[in-house]
Amino acid sequence: MTPDPPAPPGPFDAVILAGGRARRLGGADKPAAAVGGRPLLAWVAGAAAGARRLVVVGPPRDAVPDAVTVREDPPGAGPVPALRAGLAEVDAPWVVLLAADLPFLRVRHVTALREAARDAAGAVLLDDRGREQWLAGCWRTAALRAALDGYTRSSLHGLLRPLEPVPVTAEAGERPPWYDCDTPDTLARADLLAAAGPCDSGGPPRGRNGMLEDWIKAVCLELGVARDDLDRDLVLDLARDVAHQVTRPGAPVTAYLLGLAVGKGIPARDAAARLTEMAECWKDRTAATGQAVGDQPVTDQAVIDQAVID
């Protein structure tokens, strides 16, 4: 019989740091920002389900109405003062310390941290590069209080590393638990990743065009391209014309060449018009030489389907 895995050490409180000034988000209220239709703070609070007490360090918010809310002194002073303020509200022998901007952190990750910390002062999550994520960890409350006693620096790394926490790795995937949202781009990307996950809401499927637009937005974020710089219909129309008048495999190749031309400064509509005219002439030329031309009529959806097949 396989023995049951060890149970996590028992009772714990959770401290979520939800203050800060979010300078890279233009001063927006980052913990209240929505990912997948849910505030970031609510995602993190959900990951700490089972905590005897949930302490949020930051301004009051509606996302977690049952939390104890405190502020560091002065507000925005940094993670070490915020930890001091939050730890003052902790009664449990263990405390989970989390940032408020981890939309893909889940209960299983917090459980893994708690299990790893059992015989140590604490445990900390590692990212895919092996770097400690100091705002994703579980600690003995007494060890944290002892470390904070007389600590005068502002570095969370300097405070926590001497405690020699157990490193915890987690699956990466496309939605890693250490993914944080510090900029408009990372926040938007998180929202897209959340939307691309398995749907459990019972709503209707997105459909091919909706999926295509989600993909375009995700690619633009990944490559640092402005979505408004892409004329989707222009590219699809050109791909359809080439697939119909020349050959189907020519559609994605021509779309790529169009992108290269635009990168060299040629206006997209001018380049597309020239290529469409070439495709029309190509049909006439191949017909005159007796070569097979054109397939079945090609629609925008057929171009999308063929791109998926290719």
Side-chain angles (χ1 to χ4, degrees):
M1 177 183 250
T2 302
D4 293 333
F12 75 102
D13 291 342
V15 172
I16 302 177
L17 303 193
R21 298 175 183 175
R23 293 184 181 89
R24 288 191 285 173
L25 273 173
D29 186 4
K30 180 168 62 172
V35 166
R38 190 181 186 192
L40 284 170
L41 180 57
W43 282 115
V44 179
R52 199 167 63 180
R53 172 178 285 190
L54 180 65
V55 182
V56 175
V57 185
R61 298 180 180 91
D62 295 334
V64 282
D66 296 333
V68 175
T69 301
V70 296
R71 291 305 308 264
E72 68 273 32
D73 186 22
V80 173
L83 174 56
R84 288 184 192 277
L87 201 60
E89 301 295 327
V90 169
D91 293 328
W94 294 90
V95 58
V96 172
L97 176 63
L98 304 172
D101 62 345
L102 302 172
F104 306 125
L105 189 74
R106 297 293 182 263
V107 170
R108 66 182 182 275
H109 303 126
V110 172
T111 299
L113 288 166
R114 295 176 59 217
E115 290 173 349
R118 171 182 301 278
D119 297 318
V124 66
L125 185 68
L126 301 184
D127 68 11
D128 54 349
R129 297 183 182 181
R131 298 174 300 191
E132 297 94 343
Q133 302 301 297
W134 298 111
L135 286 177
C138 178
W139 307 90
R140 290 184 185 272
T141 303
L144 269 189
R145 287 196 169 116
L148 278 169
D149 187 25
Y151 186 76
T152 58
R153 297 169 56 197
S154 61
S155 167
L156 203 60
H157 169 277
L159 173 72
L160 298 177
R161 179 176 278 281
L163 297 179
E164 299 182 345
V166 176
V168 174
T169 58
E171 75 280 6
E174 66 174 356
R175 293 183 287 275
W178 56 82
Y179 186 101
D180 57 6
C181 301
D182 288 332
T183 67
D185 280 352
T186 55
L187 183 62
R189 179 180 173 84
D191 195 40
L192 283 171
L193 289 174
C199 179
D200 56 6
S201 64
R206 290 276 291 149
R208 288 287 182 101
N209 285 329
M211 291 169 63
L212 174 62
E213 186 58 31
D214 287 346
W215 170 250
I216 289 171
K217 290 178 180 178
V219 171
C220 288
L221 283 169
E222 180 68 26
L223 300 181
V225 176
R227 172 61 183 89
D228 291 343
D229 289 345
L230 170 68
D231 188 332
R232 184 189 72 175
D233 292 339
L234 178 75
V235 175
L236 288 177
D237 287 345
L238 173 62
R240 181 195 59 219
D241 291 339
V242 173
H244 182 55
Q245 310 289 3
V246 185
T247 178
R248 283 181 181 269
V253 174
T254 304
Y256 176 76
L257 292 172
L258 173 67
L260 293 180
V262 172
K264 290 187 174 183
I266 301 175
R269 290 195 171 276
D270 291 349
R274 290 160 59 183
L275 293 173
T276 299
E277 184 178 355
M278 282 181 62
E280 287 287 345
C281 294
W282 200 270
K283 177 181 178 180
D284 294 339
R285 173 185 135 178
T286 52
T289 59
Q291 299 177 25
V293 295
D295 300 311
Q296 296 299 318
V298 180
T299 63
D300 287 351
Q301 188 59 58
V303 172
I304 296 172
D305 293 343
Q306 185 62 34
V308 172
I309 293 171
D310 291 343

